[in-house]
Amino acid sequence: MSAVKIKENVYAVGIVDWNQRDFHGSTYKTIRGVTYNSYLIKDDKTVLIDLVHKGFEKEFLDNIRQVVDPSKIDIVIINHIEPDHSGAFCEIVKVCSNAKFYGTQKAKEGLFKYYGVLPSQWQSVKTNDSINIGKRTLHFIDTPMLHWPDSMFTYSPQDKILFSNDGFGQHYAANKVFDDEVNKDILFSEAQKYYANILLPYGSILSAKLNALSKTALDIDIIAPSHGLVWRANAAEILDKYTQWSSNICKNKIAVIYETMWKSSETMARKIMEGISSQGAEGYIFDLAVNDRTDIVSYILDSKGIIFGSSTHDNVCLPIMAGFIHFFKGLKVKNRKSFAFGSFGWGGGAVKEIEEVLKGCEGFELFPSISIQYAPNQEELSQCFQAGSAFAKAICSCN
Ligand code: FEO
């Protein structure tokens, strides 16, 4: 992808990684690829904001070269040091040898730990710090844990652009730059998936930060994240979505997530869903053997109810469910309704194992679990239906 002008003298110069399918190790399936966005501002001083993944240095420098000689860059702003954004750091330090680098103190420490080098000129910055680059003054805003302790935003009031790094990102490769150049429904679906899989554990921090930002009344026309499309037409809408997601505002949605061995737990899941449907609640069944975890997490982001089921194998959960509840614990999902169900042959154990995880989730209201031996009989199927129905009724009657 070439350099693209996003505003007068502001250019997108990042990379599209079309074939990247695993992000964060194997934790995030990026079915639409990934981008590592970077931006260049030409003013009295030339500023580069954010870098790209290792391996793309040449293409990155070629993109920059379409606008300016990289060795003439005066300022490099590092909003975040995770390797998807800092992989090209060593090359940029070398090529932009006269540039002054800006980032948080934690970014400085992290970069040195990762790469063992620092630029000759480094300025640590924090909220309320700013730099004048000619007609523009760039402002820095600490955003710790959005997504790492070092993270920050950079704001250009003259352009009304918020360079938000991981915030407001989506894993969406495209040969377009702006949100209104791609399918809006897919874009928001990818933004939700990204929030759920990357930022969900930090929702309360994000909520507080969004509140603080709204009080400063930043005038924002464009949100330029470090992943995916630039928000131009839908900047206000994605801000509203972030307010909703970070406030844990959910819909009358219920996810039934299970893994099964001889279809007994699956039969239970389907009967529970029948009960849910009888109350008119929205619901979806996810068999962990065929659904991707990344999509399931996206669905549960705004689901009031999350139900987990597994057959018992050697007195514990089946292995994909064991991995899922381990991952789920780390997401720090709060204030939902839930219960566990499953089948067993003799000793049992899966339902208990799931319940232990659910009991550790903040603000979870647990409904009675259902555990059945071998295969569910008519009476037990009726119990599953009633459990689904009662659960959905409770979901639909609460705010
Ligand atoms: Fe896109 Fe936290 O890195």
Side-chain angles (χ1 to χ4, degrees):
M1 186 95 168
S2 321
V4 177
K5 182 154 88 172
I6 63 167
K7 199 137 189 183
E8 202 54 40
N9 287 319
V10 183
Y11 300 85
V13 292
I15 296 295
V16 182
D17 193 353
W18 297 95
N19 299 318
Q20 180 60 260
R21 291 293 178 270
D22 287 307
F23 188 80
H24 273 178
S26 64
T27 67
Y28 192 139
K29 290 283 173 216
T30 48
I31 57 167
R32 292 193 167 82
V34 173
T35 76
Y36 316 111
N37 299 347
S38 171
Y39 302 95
L40 196 62
I41 303 177
K42 276 185 71 181
D43 204 315
D44 291 352
K45 293 192 183 301
T46 301
V47 181
L48 182 65
I49 301 178
D50 296 333
L51 311 181
V52 302
H53 201 290
K54 190 173 175 58
F56 292 98
E57 292 89 342
K58 183 181 177 307
E59 189 180 339
F60 184 38
L61 288 168
D62 286 345
N63 289 349
I64 294 170
R65 236 172 246 121
Q66 291 175 20
V67 183
V68 69
D69 177 348
S71 67
K72 301 282 194 301
I73 288 172
D74 301 294
I75 289 168
V76 177
I77 294 174
I78 306 282
N79 278 325
H80 179 31
I81 64 160
E82 194 165 3
D84 50 331
H85 308 293
S86 68
F89 178 68
C90 294
E91 184 68 12
I92 292 299
V93 167
K94 198 165 64 183
V95 174
C96 307
S97 53
N98 296 316
K100 185 165 183 177
F101 285 60
Y102 291 78
T104 61
Q105 179 62 23
K106 285 196 183 310
K108 180 184 178 186
E109 293 161 9
L111 286 168
F112 187 71
K113 187 68 170 54
Y114 265 121
Y115 303 107
V117 295
L118 282 173
S120 56
Q121 301 180 79
W122 175 278
Q123 175 75 52
S124 292
V125 291
K126 55 188 183 313
T127 299
N128 296 327
D129 288 342
S130 59
I131 45 170
N132 181 267
I133 59 168
K135 296 183 188 69
R136 297 168 175 81
T137 298
L138 302 178
H139 297 258
F140 303 111
I141 303 161
D142 295 323
T143 56
M145 299 320 295
L146 306 174
H147 154 240
W148 277 11
D150 60 279
S151 297
M152 68 175 193
F153 292 171
T154 299
Y155 174 60
S156 171
Q158 288 76 19
D159 300 301
K160 299 184 183 177
I161 300 179
L162 183 69
F163 298 96
S164 59
N165 197 267
D166 278 341
F168 311 103
Q170 338 88 44
H171 285 319
Y172 191 146
N175 65 343
K176 305 290 182 188
V177 167
F178 289 108
D179 55 350
D180 47 72
E181 298 179 295
V182 299
N183 181 290
K184 184 179 171 183
D185 290 340
I186 295 175
L187 180 66
F188 271 88
S189 156
E190 289 299 332
Q192 172 160 345
K193 192 190 294 183
Y194 179 96
Y195 182 94
N197 283 275
I198 302 283
L199 297 174
L200 176 53
Y202 314 111
S204 46
I205 299 171
L206 180 54
S207 184
K209 183 54 73 174
L210 287 173
N211 266 332
L213 282 180
S214 71
K215 290 193 182 100
T216 63
L218 290 190
D219 201 359
I220 298 171
D221 276 352
I222 291 175
I223 299 175
S226 60
H227 296 295
L229 285 301
V230 171
W231 300 98
R232 168 174 71 179
N234 302 292
E237 197 169 334
I238 191 63
L239 274 164
D240 282 349
K241 284 286 183 195
Y242 264 55
T243 301
Q244 175 194 319
W245 294 330
S246 64
S247 306
N248 208 28
I249 295 170
C250 296
K251 299 175 180 168
N252 292 343
K253 275 171 63 181
I254 300 166
V256 179
I257 305 159
Y258 74 93
E259 185 177 7
T260 195
M261 199 158 67
W262 291 110
K263 305 285 184 194
S264 295
S265 296
E266 179 175 282
T267 304
M268 294 173 78
R270 295 175 73 91
K271 199 49 88 173
I272 288 167
M273 184 55 73
E274 278 182 34
I276 290 168
S277 304
S278 73
Q279 295 297 324
E282 181 184 339
Y284 203 91
I285 294 182
F286 295 96
D287 177 355
L288 284 171
V290 297
N291 286 281
D292 187 71
R293 186 177 57 221
T294 311
D295 295 323
I296 301 173
V297 170
S298 182
Y299 189 87
I300 65 180
L301 172 65
D302 57 357
S303 296
K304 281 186 191 171
I306 312 167
I307 301 170
F308 299 83
S310 173
S311 318
T312 292
H313 182 266
D314 291 341
N315 296 115
V316 291
C317 280
L318 288 173
I320 309 177
M321 177 55 82
F324 187 82
I325 56 175
H326 172 78
F327 189 73
F328 183 80
K329 210 162 42 167
L331 292 172
K332 297 187 174 58
V333 177
K334 294 187 180 75
N335 304 328
R336 309 297 170 97
K337 296 184 191 306
S338 185
F339 71 88
F341 68 93
S343 59
F344 64 96
W346 45 100
V351 166
K352 188 162 172 274
E353 190 180 1
I354 294 168
E355 272 199 315
E356 284 307 310
V357 171
L358 298 178
K359 281 178 192 164
C361 295
E362 187 181 327
F364 266 48
E365 181 186 353
L366 295 193
F367 285 59
S369 61
I370 314 173
S371 211
I372 64 104
Q373 187 177 31
Y374 295 136
N377 58 27
Q378 277 311 315
E379 191 184 327
E380 288 161 337
L381 286 175
S382 172
Q383 188 191 351
C384 290
F385 180 91
Q386 293 304 333
S389 172
F391 188 78
K393 202 167 174 182
I395 292 279
C396 294
S397 63
C398 70
N399 290 323

